[in-house]
Amino acid sequence: MKKLRTERGLTQKELAARVSGGLDYTYIGKIERGEQLPSLKILIALGDALAVPVGSFFPPAAAATSSLRPASSGKEEELQKELRLLDPADLPLLVEIVRVLNRQRKAARKMGHSLPAEELPLAAEDGPSYE
């Protein structure tokens, strides 16, 4: 937000004055320093005041994958690499696959089974199809 504000040559006070409904300039400073998380209503008002869509305040989708926990194995590094290359249109499918895998593991734990990772069926396996 600070970058957008300074690109427009606005001070925190000037931006606060432009926000519909009013906003204290100290609140803008807290948002810019990461000390305060604004509500969606405030983000919309700030976006209007800066003449940008609300999405401008969020990192691009590719950067969102970096919020995964740090890789501790080769497989996790491989997953992070593939996620960076993922087409955004494929995200709903990927989310559903992860949900299915989590439900399968949860069901196995409920039944007292704790299958090692190598014994779990894979979502997509090389070789013959299931019959």
Side-chain angles (χ1 to χ4, degrees), residues 1 40 105:
M1 186 172 78
L40 181 56
R105 188 166 298 274

Side-chain angles (χ1 to χ4, degrees), residues 59-109:
T65 60
S66 66
S67 65
L68 291 173
R69 62 189 160 108
S72 60
S73 73
K75 288 294 180 189
E76 288 180 11
E77 289 173 4
E78 185 180 345
L79 174 62
Q80 287 182 358
K81 177 184 173 192
E82 293 300 326
L83 286 173
R84 285 189 293 273
L85 301 173
L86 186 69
D87 187 301
D90 294 332
L91 279 174
L93 175 60
L94 180 61
V95 168
E96 188 56 32
I97 290 169
V98 171
R99 283 183 182 146
V100 167
L101 291 171
N102 285 334
R103 280 195 304 262
Q104 180 181 11
R105 188 166 298 274
K106 184 179 178 182
R109 278 195 305 264

